[in-house]
Amino acid sequence: SDSNIYMSTSKSGRNYAYNFSLQVLPDEQRFDESYLSFYFNNHVFTVGRISKWWSPSFNSSLILSNSARPSPGISFSNYKPIALSSKYLSFLGPISYEFFLNKLEKDRHIPDTLLFGNRISIQPTQRLNIALFRTAQLGGDGRNLDSKIFIDMLIGRDNYLPTDKNKENEPGNQLGGLDFNYLFLKNKNLSFYGQIVGEDESGYLPSKTFYSIGISFSWNRANYKKINFEHIDTGSRQTNTTYNHSIYKDGYRSYVRPIGFAFDADSKASIINYKTKLKNNTQMNFKAIKASLNYNNSKSFFMNELSDDVNIFEINLIQRLFNNTYFNFTLQYSDFIKVNTYDNLSTFALIEYRW
């Protein structure tokens, strides 16, 4: 909402890639989405401050999204999916993985909390993709972090007994789950996908779960059209549990915003998207959202205990004006907060030149 100056430059070579982004605001300078990556033997090592999106949906992610500002850290992943040669594991199909370790901001209940995450995806068939993932918060100012505590986090032992001398330093706030995407029809143009995440563990499986489910259909390759419907519910059958924790009292959030789903805990949202290419080569995207925020009246909701229903309608047009010039226009209506200081109608316009 503040006036700012933004600049960005990027480059990729045979064994490296980088992006440098700078946003100058009245009181600070931000380097969000800046990174440096190195490639070696199908491995990618990255250091920087970049957003991660772990979800089969382009609307929502329950575990990692761009809702909150990215935190600085390192990550290790593969570049191309790996095909296992073992006859006992070949049924898993191509495998991809990612591990990361980030440091969250200082201005929180436990400053400099660490955020660890790992994700492994498999493709048993050309139509099915499955990913297993988890994240964990640990360490931070005033809390010990030794090899035992880190290993306990890796193996999922994050709830120490009351008699354990390390009880006050136990790793905490682990989230785990899976997502899937299955392609139907001969042309694989009907997609059914979903995501389920659990806050705690029971019988070595995530419990206190919340979920998203969606379906999309595309047609007409010449003038591409796609329609998508999705439903998300971040209530975990126990009030004030999702994205919250007894030790890390700021919860699964960074700079106050949720690291997972943008509408935070105990919320429901139904989303419909329609994308098409018009005759004059204009791309049109339409989105409608009907949501209920904080329907359990959680006191830890990220917007001052607000509980409200919201409807959002958005239309986006992208037009190529000349060979290298593009025009982007967005109009959005929202009845989110019914107060005099809130403008229900907002617009965004961009002229972009590419070379």
Side-chain angles (χ1 to χ4, degrees), residues 74-119:
I74 57 175
S75 67
F76 183 72
S77 62
N78 63 312
Y79 183 68
K80 295 180 180 179
I82 301 170
L84 298 178
S85 57
S86 170
K87 64 180 181 179
Y88 300 106
L89 298 176
S90 59
F91 71 94
L92 297 175
I95 296 177
S96 296
Y97 63 83
E98 181 178 6
F99 298 84
F100 74 86
L101 183 65
N102 287 7
K103 179 184 285 189
L104 301 180
E105 72 276 13
K106 291 182 177 293
D107 188 17
R108 58 189 298 124
H109 178 255
I110 299 180
D112 296 329
T113 297
L114 297 180
L115 178 66
F116 171 85
N118 65 280
R119 184 175 192 263

Side-chain angles (χ1 to χ4, degrees), residues 86-332:
S86 170
K87 64 180 181 179
Y88 300 106
L89 298 176
S90 59
F91 71 94
L92 297 175
I95 296 177
S96 296
Y97 63 83
E98 181 178 6
F99 298 84
F100 74 86
L101 183 65
N102 287 7
K103 179 184 285 189
L104 301 180
E105 72 276 13
K106 291 182 177 293
D107 188 17
R108 58 189 298 124
H109 178 255
I110 299 180
D112 296 329
T113 297
L114 297 180
L115 178 66
F116 171 85
N118 65 280
R119 184 175 192 263
I120 298 177
S121 64
I122 61 175
Q123 192 175 5
T125 73
Q126 292 185 351
R127 294 180 178 271
L128 176 64
N129 188 282
I130 301 173
L132 304 173
F133 53 77
R134 71 183 183 115
T135 58
Q137 291 174 283
L138 70 161
D141 285 2
R143 295 178 58 78
N144 293 332
L145 179 59
D146 54 28
S147 58
K148 177 184 182 303
I149 294 173
F150 192 81
I151 291 173
D152 284 344
M153 180 276 297
L154 288 177
I155 63 177
R157 186 177 180 267
D158 62 340
N159 294 313
Y160 292 174
L161 296 174
T163 55
D164 196 313
K165 64 179 182 179
N166 288 318
K167 174 63 178 176
E168 64 179 13
N169 294 305
E170 67 182 16
N173 206 20
Q174 295 209 39
L175 288 87
L178 64 85
D179 59 50
F180 67 90
N181 186 22
Y182 189 82
L183 303 176
F184 292 89
L185 304 183
K186 181 179 179 180
N187 295 327
K188 303 178 183 178
N189 57 332
L190 177 63
S191 172
F192 176 64
Y193 60 88
Q195 192 172 48
I196 184 168
V197 181
E199 268 284 353
D200 292 313
E201 172 267 337
S202 177
Y204 300 101
L205 293 173
S207 64
K208 299 177 183 176
T209 55
F210 47 104
Y211 72 93
S212 68
I213 199 80
I215 188 168
S216 67
F217 177 69
S218 61
W219 70 100
N220 195 341
R221 292 186 178 182
N223 294 299
Y224 181 76
K225 302 179 187 299
K226 183 175 183 178
I227 191 167
N228 165 264
F229 176 78
E230 187 170 329
H231 181 74
I232 306 103
D233 188 342
T234 56
S236 54
R237 300 188 302 277
Q238 184 170 333
T239 303
N240 204 22
T241 297
T242 302
Y243 297 152
N244 293 313
H245 196 260
S246 59
I247 296 175
Y248 296 97
K249 297 186 182 301
D250 288 300
Y252 193 64
R253 301 174 182 89
S254 181
Y255 298 100
V256 189
R257 296 284 300 178
I259 297 173
F261 183 49
F263 290 174
D264 210 289
D266 298 343
S267 298
K268 294 180 181 179
S270 296
I271 306 172
I272 187 168
N273 296 83
Y274 176 68
K275 296 185 177 184
T276 185
K277 182 180 290 186
L278 304 178
K279 291 183 178 180
N280 59 356
N281 210 30
T282 300
Q283 297 180 45
M284 185 187 76
N285 305 320
F286 173 80
K287 178 187 292 187
I289 302 174
K290 184 175 180 60
S292 178
L293 305 186
N294 192 24
Y295 57 75
N296 283 329
N297 295 308
S298 168
K299 294 182 179 180
S300 297
F301 194 67
F302 77 107
M303 286 186 291
N304 300 320
E305 303 182 29
L306 174 70
S307 180
D308 198 7
D309 293 332
V310 57
N311 296 290
I312 300 173
F313 302 93
E314 179 179 296
I315 187 168
N316 170 249
L317 298 173
I318 302 175
Q319 174 66 54
R320 184 174 181 176
L321 301 178
F322 307 106
N323 287 339
N324 299 323
T325 307
Y326 296 81
F327 176 69
N328 188 324
F329 176 78
T330 299
L331 180 68
Q332 184 187 86

